[in-house]
Amino acid sequence: MSCESSHTHDHHHHEVPPPPSDGWRESGVRVIPADNLDTNTAQTPGMNRAAAINFARVGAQKLWAGTVTIHADAKTGAHHHGHLESIIYVIKGKARMRWGNNLEFTAEAGPGDFIYVPPYVPHQEINALKDEDLECVLVRSDGQAIAVNLPDVEPVEKPEAIKWVDPTHQNLP
C-alpha cells in the first residue's frame, strides 16, 4: 500500500504535465548528502547556514531547506527574512528565540521541537547552552535565501517569556 491515503483529494484539479524526457531519472527525486551542503548562502553574524535544497541546486521553486549551526554560548544579530515564512526544527541543543521590534519576547525550544517564524518578524536565535552547539534544520517558503540584518535594533534587557498554545488546544486542561 502506498503512503498516500486513498482519501486524499486534489480539489484544484491541476493538469499533470507529461514526464520529462529522462523519465524522471535525473529530474525526479534528489538526495543531497550531508557532506555536500552549500555554505555560499545568505549569512547572519553568529550562525552558519548551509543550503541543501534551493533553486540553484535542485530547481526548487517554492522551498529553501538547509542546516543552521549556532556555536556554544553564541547568538545571532537581530534579523528578519523578508516575505518568507521559516520553520526551524531543533536537532541538538537548546534554542532561545527572541522576537519583536526590540526583541521583547522570548521562548525556548529543544530537540524535536519546531519553531515557526512569520514573514518580517525581527528575531534573534540564541544558543542557550554554554558547552554544546545548537544544530537545526531550516526550511523557508521560497527558493531564495533572504536574511535582512537589523543592526539598529536595541534589545530590551528583560524579555517577556511566551508559551504558545495553538488555537485547537487552548481550552484543554
Side-chain angles (χ1 to χ4, degrees), residues 19-102:
S21 59
D22 70 355
W24 299 112
R25 184 180 189 284
E26 299 294 326
S27 56
V29 173
R30 288 16 169 272
V31 174
I32 293 78
D35 63 355
N36 195 19
L37 302 185
D38 181 9
T39 56
N40 186 23
T41 187
Q43 299 291 336
T44 297
M47 68 168 34
N48 298 102
R49 291 189 189 97
I53 309 292
N54 61 18
F55 180 78
R57 302 195 84 210
V58 302
Q61 302 289 314
K62 300 176 184 175
L63 291 173
W64 184 101
T67 61
V68 61
T69 300
I70 302 176
H71 297 288
D73 202 25
K75 61 186 175 186
T76 69
H79 62 283
H80 70 73
H81 301 287
H83 68 281
L84 305 182
E85 293 176 283
S86 298
I87 298 169
I88 302 167
Y89 176 76
V90 180
I91 296 172
K92 175 184 163 197
K94 179 171 273 200
R96 180 175 298 129
M97 298 292 292
R98 289 188 63 175
W99 70 94
N101 290 331
N102 294 103

Side-chain angles (χ1 to χ4, degrees), residues 80-144:
H80 70 73
H81 301 287
H83 68 281
L84 305 182
E85 293 176 283
S86 298
I87 298 169
I88 302 167
Y89 176 76
V90 180
I91 296 172
K92 175 184 163 197
K94 179 171 273 200
R96 180 175 298 129
M97 298 292 292
R98 289 188 63 175
W99 70 94
N101 290 331
N102 294 103
L103 306 177
E104 62 268 34
F105 307 112
T106 189
E108 291 189 351
D113 292 342
F114 285 85
I115 300 165
Y116 170 68
V117 182
Y120 300 104
V121 173
H123 63 282
Q124 175 186 49
E125 291 95 349
I126 301 166
N127 184 339
L129 299 178
K130 298 194 180 308
D131 56 358
E132 184 178 326
D133 283 354
L134 170 61
E135 296 177 6
C136 303
V137 171
L138 175 60
V139 179
R140 295 231 179 82
S141 61
D142 198 327
Q144 58 186 315

